[in-house]
Amino acid sequence: MFTLKGLFIRAGLIAALIFAATATANANAAEKLPVLASFSILGDIVSQVGGERIAVSTLVGPDQDAHVYQPSPVDIKKVTHARLIVVNGLGFEGWLDRLAQSANYKGDIVVASQGIQAREMEDDEDHLMHADPHAWQNPANVVIYARNIVAALSKLDPAGAAVYKKNGDAYIAALQQLDNWVTAEIAAIPPAKRRIITSHDAFHYFGAHYKIEFIAPQGMSTDSEPSAKEVAGMIRQMEKEHIKAVFIENMTSPRLLEQISREAGVEAGGKLYADALSGPQGVAPDYLHLMRYNVGLMLDGLRKN
């Protein structure tokens, strides 16, 4: 038979257990390693490797353009609180050194693309050859990104090294599965039909890996405009070679490519995700979904060529 005193004791024990569980959960949340990634695609890759042991934030978010990014006071706070910053490298984050200096950041900065053989492209402004930063467009390169991130997190958090390796191995297996699928799908398209028009030159790593030619009115960066002569030359090429695979990108203005499509008599085939993810509810909330979505659109367009 329960007494009033017994009920109070039981209630006290339950309250103590709830308090302890809440305190543990809060402590675990507080202990997560704060990691800052430069842009949304890289932030997802870091999250896949780090899992529950890290708290990831990004400087350039979904559907935003890193080429024209300007740091804000909020971003300086993000840098200040980070224990590790992960960047793409290859000249993609030209603003990072100034931002880190402004925040007096003293932690490690990891270049995810370290070890990748960079492709070179001519810059629209100075007409010199520069490294093409869009290496993530080849899943085989993202395998290298993942391994570099595993190593960086393991160095900073040795207690989590086994977790990071396990997560990294699982993610690398998914990347290799993706690569095999894309290779098989593209192989079904005759090589002569593998030509695609996009907003800017973000897909040359993809094109080199899967043997597709990408043509763009803008160069490596989205902050420059092509000349009227270049636009006219592209339209003539589209008409001569019967190129109907034309795509706008999610973080660039559609105006120019819509004009080119209209004058060439070709309907744009949809929106590719090049330098940024979609929002969480969109079609490209993470890298693997982004690639599968993009490839699906590309295949539809290539079959019309």
Side-chain angles (χ1 to χ4, degrees), residues 37 75 92 118 157 181 195 219 231 239 292 300:
D75 295 332
F92 191 62
D157 175 25
W181 173 75
R195 291 185 175 89
V231 171
E239 293 173 339
R292 288 184 178 274
D300 288 344

Side-chain angles (χ1 to χ4, degrees), residues 83 250 278:
R83 292 280 309 282
N250 64 316
S278 69

Side-chain angles (χ1 to χ4, degrees), residues 37 55 62 80 90 96 103 108 140 145 187 192 211 241 258 273 283 291 299:
T80 301
L90 302 176
L96 183 76
D108 288 339
Y145 280 44
K211 306 299 185 292
E241 299 180 12
E258 287 175 345
Y273 288 80
V283 295
M291 290 296 288
L299 290 169

Side-chain angles (χ1 to χ4, degrees), residues 253-277:
S253 170
R255 179 183 55 81
L256 177 62
L257 207 59
E258 287 175 345
Q259 173 197 343
I260 292 172
S261 298
R262 185 168 57 252
E263 294 186 19
V266 175
E267 183 179 356
K271 181 169 65 175
L272 295 177
Y273 288 80
D275 293 1
L277 301 176

